[in-house]
Amino acid sequence: MTFGVDFWIATAVAVGAIAVSAWLWSRVRSLAAAQRTSAAEVDRLQSFIAVSSDWTWEQDDQFRFTYVSDTVVDILGLSAAFCLGKTRREVAPESLDNLAFVVHEQQQALHAPIRNLRMRFKLPNDQIRYVEIDGDPVFDAGGRFMGYRGVGRDVTFLVEAEREASETQRRFLSAIEARSEGISFWDRDDRLRLYNSAYITLATGAESTLREGVYFQDYLQASVNSGVIPDAVGREEQWIADRLEMRKRAPSSHEMMRGERWLKVSELRTSDGWLLQTVLDISEAKERESAMRRAVAEAEIANRAKMEFLAVMSHELRTPLNAIIGFSDVIRNRVLGDAMDTYMRYAEHINESGTHLLALINDLLDVSRIEAGRLELEETAFSVSELMGECARMLRVRADDKDVDLTTDAGEPSLGLHADRRAVKQIIVNLVSNAIKFTTAGGKVHLRATLDEVGQVRIVVSDTGIGIPADRHEVVFRPFEQLENAHSRRHDGTGLGLYITRNLIEAHRGAIALDSVVGDGTTVTVTFPAERTLELRAEPSVAAGRSPVSD
């Protein structure tokens, strides 16, 4: 009985031992497998670290390296053994400036994470390498600070790319700033992101509004409120709405007035939704365009004037020539027998016609000299009153024939001029002849000379004639221009007299002024510079000296 019990006890113990042994053997095998897996994982991790551009590191609670992976040799040329036991400043004292090291060490003293600490290393071969360090503080289970654990990476390529991008951006901004046209970039929300100085200059009235981030609509509103956009006056809100609608249709281009400038505004939408706007000052081009239009209009006017002149000249030339030919034929063929008195009268008509032709030819020669810039003055000293008397006597018959009262006031006999006497005579004759021509019977023409307060001689011709419309005051001084149309005119003339007169006056550095009212008459004032004024003594025609007369 005892034997049986012992047997079963022994059997149970043996079975238990076998089971425990089996479990222990299984556990040992599992641990061995796990160890092999862990070693494999470590090997994999080390392999990844070895082939990557990163290295790993650890520091103790005094910030001295306790571990640095071998990868650091390939990147920085430093051995892991060289780094052990040293702080980061001791390993690479020139990789950061002193201030940056102080800031970094203060962060470590606070056990703060290290993020993107960029350092500069100079390799033995003088190459420069840039690295970035990241690390996290390590604490034990009780919360005690144990040090740091982190990684480092080679960012040389990234730094060089950033530097190149920065240089490219700098060149881009410099190029934009150097442009004479205004340039601006607006983001997808229509907010200003970039602009040059020229853009500010051309933003008259809204310069203070321009800043990064301002909305385009706010910029438009400021521009309209300042009143610098003539097209928006009285319709401000509608103008802004139309402008914003136009902007949606970019690419587009339009011209507008802003302040005193004409601007050409062009807008282009980029592929990423931004908008490039360029503003070009085209004021000079607009002025040239306007000047060209004026030149064309003036050329057309001049052409019409010349055509009218030809029509006038054909009449002015044919009339005296027909008279000369007709009267000379009568005299030559003795058509009237021995009627000498009649022949003498015809001879006078021939003389008058020839004189008229000579005057026409002289006018044309004067115009040709003026146009060629060959107008020369033969200056002498002469009496103004004496010259005016000659002109009045010459024109008296013409005035009497028209029943026009011609009067003169020559001023002081001692008043003289140093000028071209023939030219001044022509000026007076032209002005008085015109006054008589356009004054109706019973009217008056007055010729006078005065000395103004600054010692300038003024010759004034006034009449009570038909007058000149205000819009024709400047026109009558142009060559081939006449007060009346060539086909409806009632008075003789080629339209050259006032043109020649003005040029003769300007050749003396003088001035001519015209004041006229239709129906009331005309007053023309010729002013000679004070340096031409003389005080004559003794004989009226002899100058005592070229001293200006003063009050």
Side-chain angles (χ1 to χ4, degrees), residues 220-502:
L220 284 184
Q221 189 69 58
S223 301
V224 168
N225 291 344
S226 66
V228 297
I229 303 178
D231 191 43
V233 175
R235 52 186 294 272
E236 289 79 3
E237 296 303 321
Q238 184 60 48
W239 187 87
I240 291 175
D242 292 344
R243 181 67 183 86
L244 292 175
E245 184 63 29
M246 181 190 302
R247 194 172 175 87
K248 294 177 183 178
R249 298 195 298 269
S252 63
S253 181
H254 67 279
E255 297 177 356
M256 62 178 288
M257 274 288 290
R258 187 182 188 100
E260 300 298 323
R261 292 188 177 99
W262 268 103
L263 304 178
K264 181 177 182 180
V265 182
S266 301
E267 294 177 331
L268 176 67
R269 189 73 64 178
T270 62
S271 59
D272 58 356
W274 283 43
L275 188 137
L276 166 64
Q277 183 187 72
T278 59
V279 182
L280 182 64
D281 187 346
I282 58 171
S283 301
E284 291 185 3
K286 280 289 185 180
E287 179 58 33
R288 287 194 298 271
E289 180 182 330
S290 178
M292 185 176 296
R293 285 198 297 268
R294 289 195 300 270
V296 170
E298 289 174 359
E300 292 175 351
I301 292 172
N303 185 59
R304 287 197 300 270
K306 288 181 179 180
M307 295 302 294
E308 291 183 359
F309 167 74
L310 291 176
V312 170
M313 286 301 297
S314 65
H315 169 78
E316 294 290 333
L317 291 173
R318 278 199 305 267
T319 300
L321 281 174
N322 287 335
I324 291 171
I325 293 170
F327 287 129
S328 62
D329 279 345
V330 170
I331 295 172
R332 185 186 61 180
N333 297 322
R334 302 177 66 84
V335 174
L336 301 177
D338 295 328
M340 292 303 297
D341 291 342
T342 302
Y343 292 151
M344 289 297 295
R345 191 168 65 253
Y346 286 176
E348 290 177 3
H349 292 325
I350 292 172
N351 180 266
E352 290 174 359
S353 298
T355 302
H356 180 65
L357 281 175
L358 179 61
L360 290 177
I361 293 170
N362 285 336
D363 282 349
L364 292 174
L365 291 175
D366 285 340
V367 170
S368 67
R369 282 195 294 269
I370 290 169
E371 296 289 346
R374 295 199 302 268
L375 185 61
E376 297 179 358
L377 301 179
E378 297 179 5
E379 299 182 359
T380 60
F382 59 89
S383 167
V384 174
S385 61
E386 181 181 293
L387 180 62
M388 288 178 61
E390 290 180 16
C391 295
R393 288 191 295 274
M394 180 188 304
L395 298 169
R396 181 76 63 190
V397 175
R398 187 178 303 179
D400 291 343
D401 288 342
K402 285 203 64 178
D403 192 21
V404 172
D405 183 16
L406 174 60
T407 59
T408 61
D409 180 5
E412 296 294 329
S414 61
L415 183 61
L417 272 177
H418 187 271
D420 186 322
R421 193 176 191 278
R422 186 199 65 81
V424 176
K425 182 177 182 179
Q426 187 173 356
I427 290 169
I428 296 173
V429 169
N430 284 348
L431 294 178
V432 175
S433 296
N434 267 358
I436 295 172
K437 181 191 303 184
F438 293 103
T439 300
T440 57
K444 297 180 179 181
V445 173
H446 185 60
L447 171 64
R448 62 189 174 92
T450 62
L451 192 66
D452 66 13
E453 63 278 3
V454 295
Q456 300 179 125
V457 173
R458 288 186 175 180
I459 298 174
V460 182
V461 179
S462 58
D463 63 59
T464 60
I466 62 176
I468 302 172
D471 61 345
R472 302 282 293 175
H473 284 191
E474 185 61 30
V475 173
V476 295
F477 289 104
R478 296 175 185 168
F480 315 120
E481 291 283 354
Q482 289 186 301
L483 185 57
E484 298 171 308
N485 183 277
H487 302 290
S488 62
R489 66 195 188 95
R490 294 164 295 173
H491 303 87
D492 294 334
T494 60
L496 296 175
L498 288 178
Y499 171 71
I500 295 171
T501 298
R502 169 180 270 184

Side-chain angles (χ1 to χ4, degrees), residues 49-50 54-56 67-76 78-81:
I49 292 174
D54 295 357
W55 71 92
T56 57
Y67 169 77
V68 178
S69 63
D70 292 336
T71 317
V72 75
V73 176
D74 299 328
I75 298 174
L76 300 179
L78 300 174
S79 67

